[in-house]
Amino acid sequence: MQLKKLRPSRGMVISSGALFVVLAIAAGTWLVVNTKPIPEKYRQGLNYPLYYPTNLPNGYVVDRSSFQRKTNVLVFNINTPSGRNIAVSEERIPLGVDLSQHPNSSGLALPDQREFTTTAGTAEISFWGNKLVSSLVTPDTWVVLNVSGFTMNDAEKVTQSFVKL
């Protein structure tokens, strides 16, 4: 008895090819949605550009489980090697507010204040009441970092790491 060689039918080849294409599209979509640094459910519906720290100092890492939305404000934490965290908020620059105007118009450099430029925009580290805060102003987005308990140099390095997504 001679065995007959089985050859896949043309329909089976087409079906297999179509299944492969569908699986490839599904995998690609999943990768695009789930590999962005800010999860989709927190990005969705925000009408301003988002910023993310890409080159943090050694041992600093974004806590991916900390992302939250408070109305139209994105909030998350950066964990540090010391166990303290840096709270970050991002929001659209409020209409009618000019964040480029610095409150210290005297031109004097105060010891608890630092102004600098980043690739994302202009930044200033200063005390807001008793909290040391880094304020990063981009064309459309205001990024605020609570850097209390950190040195000015560390606060500046973290602020410098933010780039537009």
Side-chain angles (χ1 to χ4, degrees):
M1 177 170 170
Q2 189 177 20
L3 292 176
K4 197 176 187 184
K5 284 188 178 180
L6 293 176
R7 292 184 57 182
S9 70
R10 184 176 182 162
M12 185 181 280
V13 170
I14 291 172
S15 295
S16 296
L19 178 62
F20 177 77
V21 169
V22 167
L23 289 174
I25 290 171
T29 302
W30 183 87
L31 282 172
V32 167
V33 169
N34 292 301
T35 58
K36 297 227 179 200
I38 300 172
E40 173 66 24
K41 70 180 186 179
Y42 301 111
R43 292 189 325 258
Q44 192 171 20
L46 293 177
N47 61 354
Y48 55 88
L50 296 175
Y51 290 79
Y52 190 81
T54 58
N55 192 20
L56 287 166
N58 213 10
Y60 287 60
V61 63
V62 172
D63 179 354
R64 292 203 29 98
S65 68
S66 69
F67 285 98
Q68 298 177 43
R69 280 274 296 278
K70 310 241 180 181
T71 313
N72 287 324
V73 178
L74 176 69
V75 179
F76 62 94
N77 291 326
I78 298 172
N79 294 335
T80 68
S82 68
R84 291 178 291 175
N85 67 15
I86 296 171
V88 179
S89 68
E90 298 187 25
E91 65 181 282
R92 175 173 279 292
I93 294 178
L95 292 174
V97 175
D98 184 1
L99 295 173
S100 67
Q101 296 300 312
H102 188 279
N104 175 13
S105 58
S106 68
L108 297 174
L110 302 174
D112 62 351
Q113 169 186 315
R114 180 179 295 179
E115 294 179 45
F116 53 99
T117 302
T118 74
T119 57
T122 57
E124 176 187 331
I125 301 170
S126 61
F127 277 97
W128 292 8
N130 63 351
K131 295 193 184 302
L132 187 63
V133 172
S134 182
S135 170
L136 173 59
V137 179
T138 74
D140 297 308
T141 306
W142 186 19
V143 181
V144 178
L145 298 86
N146 180 346
V147 290
S148 292
F150 295 89
T151 67
M152 285 276 192
N153 287 340
D154 288 343
E156 183 173 343
K157 285 177 190 173
V158 172
T159 305
Q160 288 279 5
S161 73
F162 278 78
V163 297
K164 184 177 180 180
L165 291 179

